[in-house]
Amino acid sequence: MTAAPLVEGLLVALLAAQAAGDMPSVAPGQLEGRPPPGEASPLQARVDAAPAGATVEVGPGTYDGDLVIDRPLRLAGRGRPLLRGSGKGSVVRIRAAGVTVEGLDVDGRGGGDLGRDSSGIHVSAPGAVVRDNRIANALFGVYLREAPGARVEGNVVRGIRGKDPGEKGSGIHVWNTDGFTLVGNDIADCRDGLYIQSSPHGTIRGNSVRDLRYAIHFMYSDDNVFEDNLFERSDAGGVLMYSRRLVFRRNRFLHNRGFASVGLLLKACDDSLAEDNLLADNARGVFLEGSYRNLLRRNVVAESDTALVVYDSCGENRIEGNAFIANLTSLTLVGRRTDTVLDGNYWSDNDEPDLDGDGVSDRPFVLGSLFDHLRGNLTAADLLAQSLAAAALGVAERAFPVLAPAEVADRRPLARPPPLPAVPRPSPRPRRPDPFGLAGSLAALAAGGALLAGARPRRPAEAA
Amino acid sequence: MSAPTRLAALALVARQEIALAVRSRWTAIFAAVFALLAVGVAASGYILSGGSGFEDFARTSVSLVQLVVLVVPLAALVMGVLAVAPERGTAELLFSQPIGRGVVLLGQLAGLFVALSAAELIGFGAAGLVVFLNAGEEGAGAYFLLVLGAILLTAVFLAIAALVGAGAVGRKRVRALALALVVWFAATVLVDVAALGIATLLRSTAASRLLVASVVLNPASAIRVGSLLAVQGTAAFGAASLALLRLTGGPVGAALLLGASVLAWIVLPVAAAIRRLGHIDL
Amino acid sequence: MIRFDGFGKRYGRQRAVSRVDLAVRRGEVVALLGPNGSGKSTCLKAAAGLVRPTDGSVEVGEPLRSAALPEARRGVSFLPQKVAFPEALSGREVVEFYRRLRGAAPGRTEAALGMAALEGAADRPVGTYSGGMVQRLGLAVVALADAPILLLDEPTSSLDRAGLAAAHALADRGRSEGRAVLFSTHQLADVERLADRVAVLVDGALVGDLDRAELADRLARRGVLRLRVARAPATLAAALARIAPGAALHDDEIVVIGPAAVRAAALEAVRASGAELRGLSSEEGRLDLLYDELVGAAERAGPEVRA
């Protein structure tokens, strides 16, 4: 066994272990229910007194304590009231169907117990709507436990920054919920952003997730659709595991640059469709392991260290009509061979001409250099990535084709980047002059100039 | 006026070496090429970022480090050998003066070090203007680390040039120059390729050890890897960073080991060169 | 001030100098004479600390210390055989650099440049200098240190008139100021003009250590008379053989080697024989002949000397 599969295997095992940790250990009967009197919110009496279907309006102010809602009603904040939990459990607990919670600021006070799902807003009933809330300092932001038909929309979740990922929960956690909608939420500093387990038929749209472990994480959840989301600056943009028939479009997986980071990872994930996504500036763009019959088309994969990592445990995947732009390495194949179809893509490092002008290069584009092959099977070889040695191997390989490993090729590489109008533009990054950098650069120029000028020939008058 | 102290004599030789370097065509070429390439690299990063919006400092820094590792050792080796192995008549006059040979050598190295570092500062300064006019959130600290890496690399390869060229007067000069080019090729390409080649034949643990060892022991690689790790953290080499850190005992261990390697590559060749120069007939 | 004590130098298996014993005292100007490759430069470089002896020692200064020691070389100024300077520096910068290195007074720079007749070119880069100017710049550097010991390796080669004058002035002043001067040369004129003593090196061995008068005598004894004659009578050969046993007569050329009196007698004999004299040249001394003679003497004295 070579080093790369070893390390990758380790990582996958690590993921699985962490995923196991995510699994709810709460038996249904032990759900956080009615808070004891010392921990209850002053709003509890109003909620308890309200008839089913009523709207309970909460005015500005701070309300300390936890709240259980066990009848269908609408709890609506007016003027951003702050619900500050007891720090012992979930702040708002929805235990009846058809509850709406909106317009609240929720402070979890960093307390509670992961094993009891302690959340800002915990839902364990069908048909809930959680809208326009700001949730901070909670182990989980919003937790949907067996909450079919839930709609979580326009919430802002800020986890506990600095807390170890193993000790905090997801921004929005969905478990065993068939049919749910997550729209326009903004999540940061949690363990995972959107965590979906054993929950089919979800729709996830227009969320922004950043600065955490996995921005979106599927486990055993089939037939989900996620579109127009932004997943950035995390250990991984999307981690899709043990799920089938996921469809995702127009998402942005950006700047996932940390150690072992990846834009999009598929493990044991079959029959997915990815189209019109933008994956840019990730350590690795797309990572495929043990996955079958997935189709990636019309995506842009740009500026990754490695655009594609494909294990030979995959089968029948097709990667077609994508644009691979300015990646340092196009493909790392782990193992000896792959049946992945890689035809009809655009590769910006393909310099084969298109003399017949049919828009397709006249010769196939061979993916993966000798060095790529080495690093695919030997993790530590990455230390020499982008060194002259790697370049020298490339030259040697072109000069002596016998050195080239049997490799994968795009048989119909596009000669020009395809128009992909549906792919989203990257978010504009703040660009402004850096005064310290500029001052430092000027100082360097001045210092260098002075050092050299100080040794100019001395005029005779000075020398005399 | 009395005879100068050893330190004053060293400074005098260094000053003269700077003056010579400043007037040398080689320094001018090096400074111009380095500045042009550095600005080119920085500007291409800038243009890419303007065009597509995702080129970032990390990528620019990778390109800059590559450039540094290619050009700086070559300049230091060639100019170093030319300086420490002057024409016979020049060397004979200089070494017959009442100062130690080691003082002369150290003075020459110090002067060249200052001159080359100054040329690099100009290159980095010019490139820095391009980078930091459009820097976004990236810090100047990381850039400073790149400059530091380049300057350390200069010191290392001047030291090696001293070992290769010290006392090589007359016809031996050409041989020393040729040897310097071999050293350059070995340090920038050959050692890495050889390590990779051997690594493919080994079991994974041994292969990782070998690659990490080759990176730590080869000063060009040590500085390349050290710079990139310092700038980008473990993202620099993905899982390979982990292998490196594991085998070197964590970030502190890695920094100490890389630093020790670089320091050894500066001190030991110079010490050996001084020792050899002391025994040599000119 | 300079003492070679059993000095020997091997380069690998090749022996450059063997067992040279030579001392130069203050106020003494000694010429090292010898054919190319005889070890003159090696001796001078050893005294300048550039070459480490493989046998014996080379010491300089007062008190005598190994020439390898930088402190010992404070009293030494050495002019290499083909002195060179970084071409990018001006003459003044060169002199100024060495002045500071020697800790000489600031005024010495101008004086040295003046002595070497380089005032006009002092601010031009050395790269634009002629060979003679470079050599003169070397003399300027040697002069500015005011060292009590001067080591000059062929100081007069490739010198123009001004340079020659400077070199001669340097050596003369050295003597009058009580310095020890050791210089090598191929040119008799230098020896006659400058040297108090002559040490002769052949094949790395010191084969003669003569004062100036001795040298003149020796050379005079080995003078060469060359005559071109026509219609020489057959008796001439026998007559010449009586006067000068080594005389050679080939066709119309007669070569007589010997002291002036012998040569004069030989010339007289030719005239007396009635031969027609068509050409005549006489040299007072031939160094190569002197070398041969000295080598022969050394070998007779004891072969182990040159072993």
Side-chain angles (χ1 to χ4, degrees):
Chain A
M1 190 175 185
T2 46
L6 189 76
V7 171
E8 303 289 6
L10 208 75
L11 286 174
V12 170
L14 220 63
L15 299 186
Q18 286 169 340
D22 292 343
M23 294 221 216
S25 56
V26 192
Q30 295 175 315
L31 272 179
E32 290 172 339
R34 180 163 292 271
E39 297 171 11
S41 166
L43 295 169
Q44 188 67 57
R46 288 182 61 196
V47 166
D48 290 346
T55 294
V56 175
E57 298 202 345
V58 182
T62 299
Y63 304 86
D64 286 317
D66 304 330
L67 179 66
V68 66
I69 303 174
D70 54 4
R71 64 204 65 206
L73 54 73
R74 179 161 166 248
L75 186 69
R78 299 282 179 253
R80 307 298 320 172
L82 171 63
L83 273 58
R84 191 158 62 194
S86 66
K88 305 269 168 56
S90 298
V91 183
V92 177
R93 306 163 187 182
I94 297 174
R95 298 289 178 261
V99 172
T100 295
V101 173
E102 63 186 13
L104 301 173
D105 286 1
V106 177
D107 181 351
R109 297 180 65 182
D113 186 346
L114 279 179
R116 286 187 284 112
D117 301 353
S118 295
S119 322
I121 297 173
H122 189 275
V123 183
S124 180
V129 176
V130 178
R131 187 159 52 209
D132 295 331
N133 302 290
R134 285 206 291 261
I135 302 166
N137 278 325
L139 292 180
F140 294 90
V142 177
Y143 201 119
L144 305 182
R145 167 181 283 273
E146 292 172 327
R151 182 176 181 86
V152 181
E153 182 173 3
N155 301 285
V156 176
V157 180
R158 291 291 176 268
I160 305 161
R161 180 174 292 196
K163 200 178 178 87
D164 187 87
E167 297 173 5
K168 56 188 179 183
S170 318
I172 298 176
H173 194 104
V174 183
W175 184 75
N176 209 17
T177 294
D178 190 347
F180 59 94
T181 306
L182 313 177
V183 177
N185 300 287
D186 183 315
I187 299 168
D189 298 326
C190 303
R191 181 200 290 177
D192 293 344
L194 308 172
Y195 179 88
I196 322 293
Q197 184 178 347
S198 308
S199 299
H201 305 112
T203 299
I204 300 165
R205 183 171 290 127
N207 302 284
S208 297
V209 187
R210 60 177 63 86
D211 297 323
L212 30 70
R213 192 183 66 163
Y214 306 151
I216 187 166
H217 186 183
F218 285 96
M219 299 289 283
Y220 312 103
S221 297
D222 304 338
D223 302 300
N224 279 276
V225 175
F226 61 103
E227 297 172 334
D228 303 305
N229 300 286
L230 169 63
F231 306 120
E232 65 175 356
R233 299 204 303 258
S234 299
D235 291 346
V239 173
L240 281 44
M241 303 174 94
Y242 306 104
S243 302
R244 286 168 294 174
R245 296 179 301 279
L246 299 177
V247 174
F248 49 109
R249 305 182 176 89
R250 300 182 303 277
N251 300 287
R252 287 171 289 167
F253 303 84
L254 304 178
H255 315 305
N256 298 296
R257 274 231 155 260
F259 160 63
S261 284
V262 54
L264 173 67
L265 178 147
L266 272 67
K267 176 178 166 60
C269 200
D270 305 333
D271 303 298
S272 306
L273 168 64
E275 55 187 16
D276 295 322
N277 297 286
L278 170 67
L279 299 104
D281 188 33
N282 301 297
R284 288 171 290 180
V286 179
F287 183 107
L288 295 177
E289 189 195 352
S291 298
Y292 287 80
R293 297 174 304 279
N294 298 287
L295 171 60
L296 278 73
R297 66 181 178 204
R298 296 199 308 267
N299 302 285
V300 172
V301 183
E303 311 215 340
S304 333
D305 294 346
T306 304
L308 292 170
V309 179
V310 178
Y311 275 65
D312 59 2
S313 55
C314 295
E316 299 170 62
N317 295 293
R318 286 184 296 142
I319 299 177
E320 295 172 337
N322 303 283
F324 292 89
I325 298 169
N327 300 292
L328 294 180
T329 302
S330 300
L331 172 71
T332 297
L333 179 61
V334 185
R336 298 299 300 176
R337 57 186 63 80
T338 183
D339 65 354
T340 306
V341 177
L342 282 152
D343 291 342
N345 296 291
Y346 171 75
W347 310 89
S348 66
D349 47 350
N350 172 21
D351 44 15
E352 290 290 339
D354 170 26
L355 296 178
D356 56 10
D358 63 352
V360 173
S361 295
D362 301 336
R363 283 198 289 178
F365 178 60
V366 176
L367 288 159
S369 63
L370 182 59
F371 181 71
D372 294 336
H373 180 74
L374 291 180
R375 65 196 292 208
N377 293 290
L378 182 61
T379 307
D382 271 358
L383 289 172
L384 303 178
Q386 300 148 48
S387 72
L388 292 164
L393 278 180
V395 172
E397 194 181 346
R398 273 195 288 279
F400 311 104
V402 67
L403 290 177
E407 266 305 349
V408 191
D410 184 333
R411 285 168 298 177
R412 291 180 287 106
L414 300 179
R416 279 170 295 282
L420 298 171
V423 174
R425 300 291 100 198
S427 52
R429 307 233 288 151
R431 295 267 166 193
R432 57 181 179 275
D434 178 340
F436 288 108
L438 285 177
S441 301
L442 283 173
L445 274 173
L451 282 174
L452 294 185
R456 296 264 12 137
R458 309 204 303 157
R459 265 171 293 162
E462 291 173 61
Chain B
M1 198 167 182
S2 61
T5 62
R6 295 168 81 162
L7 197 65
L10 192 150
L12 208 57
V13 176
R15 256 189 85 97
Q16 198 195 38
E17 206 57 50
I18 296 174
L20 288 174
V22 168
R23 292 174 213 179
S24 153
R25 210 181 303 120
W26 288 102
T27 319
I29 291 172
F30 171 62
V33 166
F34 189 78
L36 269 176
L37 288 176
V39 171
V41 163
S44 75
Y46 161 70
I47 289 162
L48 274 178
S49 72
S52 63
F54 20 76
E55 176 75 6
D56 68 352
F57 179 71
R59 296 294 293 278
T60 306
S61 65
V62 169
S63 309
L64 277 174
V65 167
Q66 277 179 279
L67 169 68
V68 162
V69 171
L70 180 65
V71 175
V72 166
L74 184 62
L77 282 168
V78 169
M79 295 189 56
V81 166
L82 288 178
V84 302
E87 271 183 76
R88 178 169 287 281
T90 312
E92 287 179 352
L93 184 60
L94 189 56
F95 285 107
S96 71
Q97 301 303 313
I99 52 175
R101 293 179 178 182
V103 175
V104 172
L105 184 70
L106 285 176
Q108 288 171 327
L109 293 176
L112 259 187
F113 177 67
V114 168
L116 287 176
S117 299
E120 286 155 22
L121 280 178
I122 290 175
F124 272 112
L129 288 181
V130 177
V131 168
F132 291 113
L133 266 177
N134 200 28
E137 298 162 3
E138 314 297 349
Y143 197 72
F144 170 75
L145 287 173
L146 296 189
V147 180
L148 185 69
I151 286 175
L152 282 177
L153 206 56
T154 312
V156 166
F157 281 91
L158 279 178
I160 296 174
L163 185 57
V164 169
V169 292
R171 271 172 306 165
K172 290 186 196 152
R173 240 182 146 197
V174 180
R175 215 161 51 192
L177 215 50
L179 185 57
L181 290 178
V182 170
V183 167
W184 173 75
F185 187 66
T188 49
V189 177
L190 217 53
V191 171
D192 289 352
V193 170
L196 264 179
I198 297 170
T200 56
L201 306 176
L202 298 176
R203 292 154 56 82
S204 73
T205 324
S208 292
R209 283 217 183 99
L210 173 73
L211 285 173
V212 169
S214 89
V215 159
V216 170
L217 293 179
N218 176 356
S221 292
I223 287 171
R224 178 175 59 82
V225 168
S227 299
L228 291 179
L229 277 178
V231 170
Q232 301 180 18
T234 49
F237 305 104
S241 310
L242 178 78
L244 177 84
L245 294 183
R246 198 183 55 225
L247 286 175
T248 54
V252 177
L256 285 178
L257 216 55
L258 292 172
S261 165
V262 169
L263 192 69
W265 274 107
I266 295 172
V267 172
L268 296 183
V270 172
I274 290 177
R275 212 183 126 74
R276 213 188 59 174
L277 192 58
H279 295 302
I280 235 166
D281 294 313
L282 289 158
Chain C
M1 296 281 270
I2 310 173
R3 193 173 75 191
F4 296 85
D5 192 357
F7 167 61
K9 181 68 197 175
R10 280 187 314 269
Y11 292 105
R13 299 177 60 188
Q14 197 187 349
R15 178 171 284 281
V17 173
S18 50
R19 291 193 61 173
V20 166
D21 293 297
L22 179 68
V24 183
R25 286 171 291 278
R26 58 165 63 237
E28 205 175 22
V29 179
V30 175
L32 269 177
L33 213 51
N36 279 327
S38 59
K40 301 190 297 291
S41 283
T42 302
C43 287
L44 283 165
K45 284 176 168 183
L50 296 171
V51 164
R52 309 290 196 229
T54 38
D55 299 302
S57 65
V58 181
E59 295 171 311
V60 295
E62 259 174 8
L64 286 165
R65 276 184 297 182
S66 164
L69 295 172
E71 304 80 54
R73 295 200 299 271
R74 286 224 178 99
V76 176
S77 263
F78 171 63
L79 179 67
Q81 189 172 24
K82 285 185 182 122
V83 70
F85 304 96
E87 297 195 341
L89 297 180
S90 72
R92 190 189 309 281
E93 283 174 316
V94 166
V95 176
E96 186 64 14
F97 169 73
Y98 282 105
R99 180 189 70 70
R100 285 160 174 262
L101 211 52
R102 302 302 294 243
R108 300 287 301 161
T109 300
E110 288 310 307
L113 285 168
M115 184 223 94
L118 283 170
E119 303 100 321
D123 294 313
R124 271 165 47 195
V126 173
T128 65
Y129 283 17
S130 68
M133 290 166 83
V134 171
Q135 189 77 359
R136 275 190 272 149
L137 186 57
L139 287 171
V141 169
V142 169
L144 65 79
D146 240 345
I149 297 171
L150 298 181
L151 304 167
L152 314 172
D153 199 354
E154 300 193 16
T156 58
S157 71
S158 81
L159 270 185
D160 41 25
R161 286 176 79 87
L164 219 49
H168 290 168
L170 193 63
D172 284 343
R173 226 182 56 217
R175 181 189 295 110
S176 64
E177 291 173 3
R179 297 182 218 279
V181 182
L182 180 63
F183 74 98
S184 68
T185 186
H186 285 297
Q187 295 171 27
L188 261 182
D190 287 346
V191 178
E192 288 166 352
R193 167 78 179 72
L194 300 173
D196 302 318
R197 271 170 55 214
V198 182
V200 182
L201 277 172
V202 178
D203 283 347
L206 192 61
V207 294
D209 187 351
L210 318 166
D211 64 25
R212 182 151 52 169
E214 263 184 288
L215 177 72
D217 286 353
R218 291 281 193 111
L219 286 173
R221 280 210 301 269
R222 304 299 297 175
V224 178
L225 174 69
R226 218 178 274 275
L227 300 171
R228 219 152 49 74
V229 294
R231 295 196 305 277
T235 54
L236 182 55
L240 281 175
R242 275 196 305 278
I243 300 162
L249 176 60
H250 297 294
D251 298 338
D252 58 350
E253 191 185 43
I254 298 167
V255 177
V256 180
I257 298 175
V262 172
R263 283 175 277 150
L267 181 60
E268 203 51 47
V270 171
R271 280 193 172 173
S273 74
E276 183 186 336
L277 200 52
R278 291 203 167 163
L280 180 152
S281 77
S282 180
E283 285 176 64
E284 269 311 278
R286 283 266 303 270
L287 281 172
D288 50 347
L289 295 172
L290 177 66
Y291 298 153
D292 287 346
E293 181 193 318
L294 288 171
V295 169
E299 274 170 350
R300 279 192 301 280
E304 80 281 1
V305 173
R306 297 194 62 220

